[in-house]
């Protein structure tokens, strides 16, 4: 049973999980974990009023956002939430969902998912004791700062949610965590899936030699430095990075084109390389990085990214795999994963559902999540087991 020492506190309120349509699968997995854990806590299962409704067969609260023929919608919560501690799961990147507008089929965009989130919060009507939004891919997080006369979409969204009564926002690997300055009096947590990356890597690759002579961590740009530094430090590895020299006199597809990649780091000849980034969007940057690494005679290349968007399809990654540029790609199930991605021979899925369940279960007891946010001890334990078992992680 996880985190038992934390559950001496009384629950904040009866637990309720609202998984929007975009996060139904994740919500079910999270619910199943919590149901199993709470049924095992026989000492806590009590008939006292404080623990009323503590152990149940289901914590999911049924909700929906039906649409009118015009494309407009409304949020509906189909059971009582008075006094509940509510956790709302939403995946703003789930483009697989569709709706009809005057007979035309539309795929849901991040804007549509965000509007549905607000509709459900509105439908709660202020009856919940506390509302926490778990939004793995932070809405508009790539538009987090102003460089000219531009909108500040992410900051506005955070303020809008907290003004609607949201007490806490949990996201994963925020593009720039400093956006939390927009809501300084509210709780904002950006969670890193480093432990899940390492666990997925060790479970699927049996012949890794984890030392600085055989392995190296690489950041594809200066923006990914912090996560690469932590990853390298907990594994005791060297780190390198690429500096993107851009042409700021031109704009191509909304961004300044990259002129060349400059590598800063020690010799990588023959070493396994792990590239870390927050997201794979079109994939051009990652592919360019792997080509530069292969020019320097790198060994196997593993790509770890929190969010696999693959906005331009998977064909270029198929080619990169066939050419030997990429050995494996690891992304999480925090956002929608198309079936064709899961079928790729080079793809490894890092499941985060148990981690989210731990966060919800702990927070419902008003416990500290510091140990969950800093998984250094767990990482070192799992690496030690991998080495003791000669590359087999049970």
């Amino acid at each position: 049973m996880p985190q038992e020492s934390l559950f001496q506190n009384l629950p904040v309120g009866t637990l309720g999980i609202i998984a929007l349509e975009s996060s139904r699968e994740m919500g079910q997995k999270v619910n199943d974990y919590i149901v199993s854990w709470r049924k095992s806590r026989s000492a806590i299962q009590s008939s006292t009023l404080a623990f009323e409704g503590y152990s149940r067969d289901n914590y999911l609260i049924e909700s929906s956002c039906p649409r009118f023929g015009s494309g407009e919608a409304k949020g509906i919560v189909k059971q009582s939430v008075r006094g509940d501690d509510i956790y709302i799961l939403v995946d703003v990147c789930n483009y697989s969902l569709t709706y009809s507008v005057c007979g035309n089929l539309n795929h849901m965009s991040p804007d549509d998912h965000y509007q549905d989130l607000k509709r459900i919060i509105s439908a709660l009507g202020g009856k919940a004791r506390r509302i926490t939004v778990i939004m793995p891919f932070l809405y508009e997080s790539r538009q987090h700062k102003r460089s000219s006369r531009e909108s500040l979409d992410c900051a506005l969204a955070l303020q809008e949610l907290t003004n609607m009564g949201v007490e806490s926002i949990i996201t994963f690997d925020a593009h720039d965590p400093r956006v939390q300055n927009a809501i300084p009096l509210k709780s904002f947590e950006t969670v890193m899936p480093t432990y899940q990356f390492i666990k997925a890597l060790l479970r699927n690759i049996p012949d890794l030699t984890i030392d600085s002579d055989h392995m190296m961590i690489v950041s594809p740009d200066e923006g990914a430095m912090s996560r690469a530094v932590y990853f390298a430090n907990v594994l005791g590895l060297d780190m390198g990075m690429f500096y993107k020299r851009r042409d700021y006199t031109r704009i191509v597809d909304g961004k300044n084109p990259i002129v060349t990649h400059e590598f800063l780091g020690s010799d990588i000849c023959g070493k396994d390389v792990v590239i870390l980034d927050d997201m794979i969007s079109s994939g051009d940057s990652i592919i360019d990085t792997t080509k530069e690494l292969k020019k320097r005679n790198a060994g196997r290349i593993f790509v770890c990214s929190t969010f696999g968007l693959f906005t331009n399809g998977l064909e270029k990654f198929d080619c990169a795999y066939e050419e030997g540029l990429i050995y494996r790609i690891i992304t999480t199930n925090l956002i929608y994963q198309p079936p064709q991605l899961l079928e790729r021979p080079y793809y490894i899925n890092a499941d985060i559902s148990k981690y989210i369940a731990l966060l919800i279960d702990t927070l419902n007891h008003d416990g500290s999540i510091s140990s969950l946010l800093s998984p250094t001890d767990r990482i070192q334990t799992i690496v030690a087991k991998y080495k003791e078992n000669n590359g087999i992680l049970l």
Side-chain angles (χ1 to χ4, degrees):
M1 271 177 285
Q3 305 287 316
E4 283 309 307
S5 60
L6 297 174
F7 301 126
Q8 299 173 5
N9 300 336
L10 292 176
V12 172
T14 302
L15 176 61
I17 301 172
I18 299 179
L20 271 64
E21 186 64 29
S22 59
S23 293
R24 287 282 192 247
E25 185 176 347
M26 174 67 78
Q28 189 61 58
K29 288 182 178 180
V30 169
N31 175 74
D32 292 344
Y33 276 118
I34 297 177
V35 167
S36 174
W37 295 338
R38 294 198 170 187
K39 283 186 175 180
S40 301
R41 295 178 192 139
S42 56
I44 293 181
Q45 293 179 28
S46 170
S47 59
T48 62
L49 190 61
F51 285 94
E52 183 180 0
Y54 181 80
S55 179
R56 305 201 306 268
D57 292 329
N58 185 34
Y59 297 95
L60 291 170
I61 294 173
E62 191 176 355
S63 66
S64 64
C65 290
R67 290 185 179 267
F68 302 100
S70 61
E72 297 168 292
K74 63 179 177 180
I76 303 174
V77 176
K78 301 181 180 180
Q79 62 194 76
S80 174
V81 295
R82 186 176 296 276
D84 287 1
D85 187 19
I86 298 294
Y87 295 82
I88 306 176
L89 294 169
V90 58
D91 172 15
V92 299
C93 294
N94 192 337
Y95 60 86
S96 69
L97 302 179
T98 60
Y99 63 95
S100 178
V101 180
C102 299
N104 298 304
L105 191 65
N106 273 13
H107 283 266
M108 291 188 69
S109 71
D111 292 343
D112 293 315
H113 290 299
Y114 177 64
Q115 286 299 120
D116 280 355
L117 170 64
K118 292 194 296 181
R119 291 179 177 113
I120 292 300
I121 294 172
S122 174
L124 294 175
K127 304 299 190 298
R129 179 165 299 175
R130 185 175 67 177
I131 300 173
T132 299
V133 169
I134 301 177
M135 185 187 295
F137 187 97
L138 186 61
Y139 174 70
E140 289 290 358
S141 57
R142 300 175 78 175
Q143 185 52 33
H144 63 284
K145 63 181 180 181
R146 177 179 284 155
S147 57
S148 62
R149 279 186 286 275
E150 297 177 340
S151 58
L152 287 170
D153 298 51
C154 189
L156 283 173
L158 292 176
Q159 290 182 352
E160 190 172 22
L161 290 176
T162 54
N163 288 337
M164 292 182 72
V166 173
E167 184 66 28
S168 179
I169 296 171
I170 298 175
T171 189
F172 282 75
D173 205 349
H175 194 64
D176 188 344
R178 290 174 296 183
V179 75
Q180 67 185 299
N181 293 335
I183 49 169
L185 299 182
K186 296 295 183 178
S187 174
F188 178 96
E189 300 289 353
T190 177
V191 186
M192 302 299 293
T194 311
Y195 173 74
Q196 285 73 21
F197 280 150
I198 293 174
K199 189 175 181 180
L201 197 61
L202 299 184
R203 275 189 171 170
N204 290 276
I205 311 298
D207 57 348
L208 290 172
T209 303
I210 306 174
D211 60 43
S212 56
D213 293 329
H214 299 86
M215 198 174 196
M216 189 172 184
I217 307 301
V218 169
S219 170
D221 54 39
E222 56 274 24
M225 276 284 291
S226 59
R227 63 178 65 85
V229 167
Y230 178 76
F231 204 105
N233 283 342
V234 294
L235 293 180
L237 304 177
D238 292 335
M239 194 208 80
M241 70 161 285
F242 280 94
Y243 167 68
K244 296 176 182 177
R245 193 190 304 169
R246 296 181 179 271
D247 182 359
Y248 287 98
T249 64
R250 297 186 298 135
I251 295 179
V252 179
D253 295 331
K255 57 188 177 182
N256 301 108
I258 298 170
V259 177
T260 185
H261 291 77
E262 303 287 351
F263 182 69
L264 305 175
S266 58
D267 183 25
I268 60 174
C269 181
K271 294 181 181 179
D272 287 337
V273 175
V274 179
I275 301 174
L276 288 174
D277 211 350
D278 60 338
M279 70 179 75
I280 299 174
S281 185
S282 67
D284 291 339
S285 179
I286 289 293
I287 299 297
D288 289 343
T289 300
T290 60
K291 289 179 179 177
E292 293 295 326
L293 288 170
K294 283 299 182 179
K295 287 179 183 178
R296 294 164 174 80
N297 299 315
R300 296 176 298 181
I301 297 177
F302 303 88
V303 178
C304 294
S305 180
T306 307
F307 306 108
L309 300 173
F310 303 104
T311 55
N312 291 354
L314 297 170
E315 289 75 16
K316 67 179 65 178
F317 295 96
D318 295 339
C319 293
Y321 173 67
E322 292 168 3
E323 294 170 11
L325 295 176
I326 292 176
Y327 186 72
R328 294 290 185 272
I329 294 177
I330 304 174
T331 68
T332 70
N333 62 337
L334 289 169
I335 62 172
Y336 171 69
Q337 298 166 300
Q340 57 268 32
L341 172 64
L342 300 174
E343 296 169 356
R344 290 304 198 266
Y346 54 82
Y347 181 72
I348 297 174
N349 176 34
D351 189 356
I352 312 293
S353 55
K354 185 176 182 180
Y355 194 16
I356 293 178
L358 277 169
L359 290 170
I360 292 176
D361 204 13
T362 305
L363 289 172
N364 180 237
H365 282 267
D366 216 17
S368 171
I369 59 173
S370 297
S371 61
L372 297 176
L373 299 178
S374 301
T376 303
D377 292 340
R378 284 182 292 148
I379 290 172
Q380 292 175 345
T381 299
I382 199 172
V383 170
K385 288 181 180 178
Y386 180 84
K387 292 180 178 179
E388 288 172 6
N389 294 324
N390 298 316
I392 300 175
L393 187 61
L394 301 177

